[in-house]
Amino acid sequence: MPEALFQVKRLSELAQAGQLKGKRVLIRSDLNVPQDEAGNITEDTRIRASMPAVQMCLDAGAAVMVTSHLGRPTEGQFKSEDSLAPVADRIATLLHRKVPLISNWVDGGFQVQPGEVVLLENCRVNVGEKKNDDALAKKIATLCDVYVNDAFGTAHRAEATTNGVAKFAPVACAGPLMAAELDALSRALANPRRPLIAIVAGSKVSSKLTILKALSEKVDELIVGGGIANTFMLAKGLPIGKSLAEPDLVNEAREIMDLMEKRGAHVPIPEDVVVANELSPLARANRVPADQVAEDDMILDIGPKTAARLSTMLAHAGTIVWNGPLGVFEIDQFGGGTKMLAAAIAHSPAFSIAGGGDTLAAIAKYGIENQVDYISTGGGAFLEFLEGKTLPAFEVLAERAKD
């Protein structure tokens, strides 16, 4: 992971240096919140998380414009359900001020004074947004003196408001959310405290193969779970019954284990597992040694011996990266492994970073939100970073920081 990736201008630095006063600031936020059928916002975490950047700019005397995508609109075809109107209402409530919603804003023609904030309608309705069209990006860039990217969840997409505008705006910087994500990812992967332990779990090796390969070159222990662990068990010659696995990827699993062993690192294979004949809340969960899985068994969790061994490992870690629950944790009798590892991560002195939808659900279920050092809300961006990919939003901000 190149260090240069993390050298970006930061909004907080510009604010402290008085460089926002009287300036037009455009913030690309991630306000893509869930809504019910009537358009009411059902969960507003992303909006709340985006407010510190807005408040920072207002306090610094800037004229503030905020935009975001919402849902999956068709470019050039605005529909009422695509509107950020409910978001504007929620921001107004949170900031205790008027937040006008501006439509058809690309060509300007609207007013925003220092100390005011406006919301610019759904940016993905603009023709050329998804293709990162230079002509569109240049038009948007003329609206501002300072461009701020505070939408880490879109950092892996090269779009006009996430990448293009950053190329053409007079100044381009990272907002507090983006900067915090960069700092956490940098600490976890660019310069980690050892031992570095990664937990990668999920149903398929194929969907996480590039992540597994990228991490296998960096980590000291690579804990695998779910269907991924079953494929690694197959690679070790263990029986897995009718468990979810990908037999055609056994060679890749062996390669990863061999590569790690050559440099003194490991993929710990379960020594016991929890099995059932069906995946159901009513299924009877049986604990069996890993070499005694019957033909009609499905492996649905790691066993208590394995969970205890992994927990000890996590207690002595320097850095922990967590992506994916270890079993079918939504059903309590198959959640023991994930619950035990969640507790181990919560109590470990290691720097811990977690990301991915199922991982966040497990963190919420076991109530350890305040005991994980950094929870990434990035989803796809978090996964692509773990794969070792350079994210377009990071890349352009790092490039502009050299100006």
Side-chain angles (χ1 to χ4, degrees):
M1 204 61 62
E3 287 290 346
L5 192 62
F6 307 102
Q7 305 308 314
V8 300
K9 284 181 182 162
R10 296 169 183 247
L11 180 66
S12 55
E13 293 164 357
L14 298 180
Q16 285 162 10
Q19 292 173 16
L20 300 181
K21 190 171 179 63
K23 295 288 181 19
R24 296 168 302 153
V25 177
L26 172 62
I27 306 173
R28 172 51 159 104
S29 299
D30 182 1
L31 308 173
N32 186 30
V33 288
Q35 295 169 281
D36 63 19
E37 287 180 9
N40 300 306
I41 294 167
T42 55
E43 210 281 326
D44 70 353
T45 300
R46 283 179 173 166
I47 299 175
R48 289 176 181 275
S50 299
M51 289 307 97
V54 177
Q55 193 63 57
M56 190 183 292
C57 293
L58 290 171
D59 292 346
V64 186
M65 300 164 279
V66 182
T67 193
S68 172
H69 69 289
L70 182 68
R72 296 183 176 178
T74 303
E75 288 188 4
Q77 298 176 29
F78 180 77
K79 298 188 289 294
S80 59
E81 59 263 34
D82 301 328
S83 180
L84 288 174
V87 175
D89 290 343
R90 185 60 55 90
I91 294 173
T93 302
L94 293 171
L95 295 181
H96 309 291
R97 59 165 65 231
K98 270 176 60 177
V99 181
L101 178 65
I102 313 291
S103 301
N104 303 313
W105 50 269
V106 171
D107 292 312
F110 60 89
Q111 294 294 315
V112 54
Q113 301 300 324
E116 293 179 350
V117 57
V118 298
L119 186 61
L120 307 180
E121 192 55 278
N122 197 328
C123 60
R124 281 203 187 148
V125 174
N126 299 327
V127 177
E129 168 67 16
K130 293 208 77 164
K131 287 186 176 172
N132 197 16
D133 180 67
D134 273 359
L136 174 64
K138 282 176 181 172
K139 269 189 180 180
I140 297 172
T142 62
L143 299 175
C144 67
D145 303 303
V146 178
Y147 163 81
V148 182
N149 192 333
D150 207 31
F152 176 74
T154 65
H156 58 312
R157 303 187 190 281
E159 298 178 353
T161 58
T162 62
N163 177 269
V165 178
K167 289 189 290 192
F168 303 116
V171 175
C173 66
L177 278 179
M178 181 72 93
E181 196 88 31
L182 280 167
D183 290 342
L185 291 168
S186 173
R187 189 171 165 189
L189 292 175
N191 189 25
R193 201 166 73 227
R194 300 277 175 177
L196 167 58
I197 300 180
I199 303 166
V200 180
S203 55
K204 293 183 173 182
V205 169
S206 52
S207 64
K208 302 257 177 102
L209 187 61
T210 46
I211 295 171
L212 291 166
K213 283 183 174 172
L215 290 176
S216 70
E217 296 170 7
K218 297 187 183 83
V219 304
D220 301 299
E221 304 282 351
L222 179 58
I223 296 172
V224 290
I228 293 174
N230 299 338
T231 302
F232 276 81
M233 286 175 70
L234 265 186
K236 277 286 190 184
L238 291 164
I240 63 163
K242 57 178 184 179
S243 308
L244 181 67
E246 292 174 288
D248 55 325
L249 289 178
V250 160
N251 286 338
E252 279 84 348
R254 279 201 197 102
E255 277 173 27
I256 287 168
M257 287 189 283
D258 291 345
L259 174 79
M260 291 188 67
E261 277 168 20
K262 274 177 192 161
R263 59 180 190 79
H266 310 96
V267 179
I269 300 298
E271 58 191 273
D272 61 340
V273 290
V274 176
V275 299
N277 299 126
E278 60 176 353
L279 178 54
S280 149
L282 303 175
R284 178 188 167 85
N286 298 303
R287 299 168 187 169
V288 298
D291 60 358
Q292 290 179 31
V293 176
E295 276 184 24
D296 62 343
D297 278 339
M298 296 167 69
I299 300 171
L300 300 174
D301 193 12
I302 56 171
K305 280 186 184 172
T306 303
R309 179 164 60 99
L310 297 179
S311 294
T312 301
M313 207 177 277
L314 292 168
H316 296 97
T319 307
I320 299 166
V321 178
W322 182 18
N323 174 244
L326 275 289
V328 187
F329 76 99
E330 297 88 347
I331 300 173
D332 284 345
Q333 62 265 44
F334 307 122
T338 302
K339 185 177 184 179
M340 197 161 173
L341 261 66
I345 292 167
H347 296 117
S348 174
F351 174 73
S352 54
I353 180 169
D358 288 344
T359 315
L360 303 193
I363 286 169
K365 179 170 182 174
Y366 301 122
I368 62 164
E369 296 96 327
N370 297 326
Q371 291 156 290
V372 176
D373 290 298
Y374 193 83
I375 297 173
S376 172
T377 53
F382 178 75
L383 295 182
E384 290 200 13
F385 192 95
L386 294 189
E387 285 178 38
K389 291 182 179 174
T390 300
L391 307 187
F394 291 178
E395 196 169 30
V396 69
L397 291 179
E399 194 58 39
R400 289 304 309 276
K402 298 172 188 172
D403 292 355

